[in-house]
Amino acid sequence: MRPELLSPAGDFEKLKSAIYFGADAVYLAGKAFGMRAASGNFTNEELVQAVEYAHERGVRVYVTVNIMPRDAEYPVLERYLQYLQAIGADAAIVSDLGVVALARVCAPNLEIHISTQASTVSAATCMAWHKMGARRIVLARELSLEEIAAIRTALPDEVELETFVHGSMCVAYSGRCLLSQYYVGRDANRGACAQPCRWIYSGEIAEEKRASERLPIVEDGGESFIMSSKDMCMIAHVPELVQAGINSLKLEGRVRSAYYTAVVTNTYKMALDAYMKDPAGYHFDSAWQRELDSVSHREYDTGFFFHNPKTDPNLVTQPGYIREKAYLAVAVGSADEQGRVPFVQRNKTVRGAAVEILAPGCPGRPFMADAMWDAAGAPLETAPHPGMTFLLRPPFPVQAGDVLREG
């Protein structure tokens, strides 16, 4: 069975990027009831356009409705669920028992997926959700691969399993955290997390009855990241993910860039295609890891697929993000009679720079930007203005949607 590749779509640009680079499905949110208030998200009108755009290209759309709503929100929520059903959304991702019950009544044809926020860690819980009407369970990130495989074996085929395989991890259990609310009044459980687990902490801690025994929380260099988790990266373990029987491989990152969406989707699709084409002859291509290293990320690890969260909290050892190749531009047309391709600038590009083209199904292809022209064909030394159109002459075919990045 080939698993679905599920990509994040924080806004319309990211949705298009995910689809162009090979996603089988995307997940996104409306302006309310989703767990990522920091991403652009979609108005009701944009949701219609997103569903139509994706369905025209054979891609499914799952809408997150995974906050824990209060009583006063239910009348609006009921109308919203009915709206999602009416526009043809393929599923709603929910985490609250009351929302599941409401959806079954007011939107009976809307497929229900249970969010990872529900902390599902057993086959028994999966079956309980299924009996309530859920088609798919997004398992808790704290499960090991061995535990996931055992859950899959214990369930009937009609119960689908989805799991995150790449992206940010949370120090809180299944993302349930009160720190953001405590520090700055932003409720992480309603999509407004300020990410205090990523902040730098210093000083000492002491237990109440042992006040004289003060323990430093400062690491070498004077900084301590006592709660910041490493990013998950399972690209080297695609065969094991498929063999575990997971129905959907989920990529985290709705608040990341369109470039991030393109690279991560493209890379996992390459690995998945290679394995499904020839499982016996499959080998891991180190170029795939280099692709994932080209996007902004924290230190990579395999999450809890092979680690026990009770004994290994998977915390970072260095601050912030590791930033690699810059996203320079996106192709917006095909080559003219002189082989020049139009690009729209995202970051400053200069003549003579070493650059790469990222296209669906292959790693970045390098070339030298030895000549540049403006939209009218006049020579350029640099393209400094965001949104400006300029021309380059790559030594290979380029299509609209391909990404230009640093070499």
Side-chain angles (χ1 to χ4, degrees), residues 97-364:
L97 183 59
V99 180
V100 173
L102 176 64
R104 291 302 84 210
V105 173
C106 74
N109 296 321
L110 180 63
E111 191 170 295
I112 293 297
H113 295 179
I114 302 302
S115 170
T116 190
Q117 296 288 123
S119 307
T120 304
V121 294
S122 70
T125 306
C126 289
M127 279 306 301
W129 283 119
H130 180 59
K131 289 176 181 178
M132 295 176 197
R135 171 70 178 274
R136 178 182 294 184
I137 316 298
V138 188
L139 294 172
R141 300 188 207 193
E142 293 76 23
L143 288 169
S144 70
L145 191 61
E146 182 179 4
E147 290 171 323
I148 292 170
I151 290 172
R152 175 70 277 169
T153 300
L155 294 173
D157 291 343
E158 61 265 23
V159 181
E160 297 181 358
L161 298 181
E162 176 181 310
T163 186
F164 283 93
V165 300
H166 191 93
S168 294
M169 295 283 286
C170 183
V171 70
Y173 195 89
S174 294
R176 296 192 176 202
C177 182
L178 298 176
L179 278 177
S180 180
Q181 178 75 26
Y182 173 78
Y183 278 122
V184 295
R186 288 169 51 180
D187 191 345
N189 300 305
R190 297 178 67 80
C193 184
Q195 294 195 315
C197 58
R198 311 296 183 189
W199 299 351
I200 300 172
Y201 292 83
S202 62
E204 297 175 323
I205 57 174
E207 196 273 329
E208 181 181 9
K209 295 180 180 180
R210 298 168 179 82
S212 63
E213 300 177 18
R214 307 190 71 81
L215 303 175
I217 57 171
V218 179
E219 297 183 2
D220 290 343
E223 296 178 341
S224 180
F225 298 85
I226 59 174
M227 294 180 285
S228 184
S229 298
K230 296 176 182 176
D231 280 2
M232 181 194 298
C233 179
M234 286 291 287
I235 191 63
H237 301 281
V238 166
E240 295 101 305
L241 294 169
V242 176
Q243 292 160 14
I246 301 167
N247 298 90
S248 181
L249 307 182
K250 190 170 193 173
L251 310 175
E252 187 275 340
R254 275 188 288 154
V255 299
R256 309 274 189 123
S257 68
Y259 171 67
Y260 173 95
T261 303
V263 171
V264 175
T265 302
N266 193 43
T267 303
Y268 277 87
K269 186 174 190 305
M270 286 190 286
L272 188 56
D273 284 350
Y275 179 72
M276 298 307 298
K277 181 179 180 180
D278 183 13
Y282 174 86
H283 72 278
F284 177 72
D285 189 339
S286 60
W288 300 334
Q289 187 63 61
R290 291 195 297 273
E291 283 297 310
L292 297 179
D293 289 342
S294 80
V295 297
S296 181
H297 63 282
R298 300 178 189 90
E299 296 169 74
Y300 281 139
D301 203 300
T302 53
F304 298 121
F305 282 102
F306 306 109
H307 301 300
N308 186 335
K310 295 179 181 179
T311 59
D312 183 358
N314 197 35
L315 300 180
V316 302
T317 62
Q318 54 186 291
Y321 285 95
I322 301 168
R323 299 186 181 274
E324 297 288 347
K325 298 179 185 294
Y327 174 24
L328 301 178
V330 61
V332 292
S334 54
D336 61 18
E337 63 277 2
Q338 300 179 51
R340 300 178 304 183
V341 177
F343 290 86
V344 170
Q345 195 256 41
R346 300 302 170 88
N347 283 287
K348 184 177 179 179
T349 310
V350 299
R351 185 176 71 83
V355 294
E356 293 180 352
I357 290 289
L358 182 69
C362 61

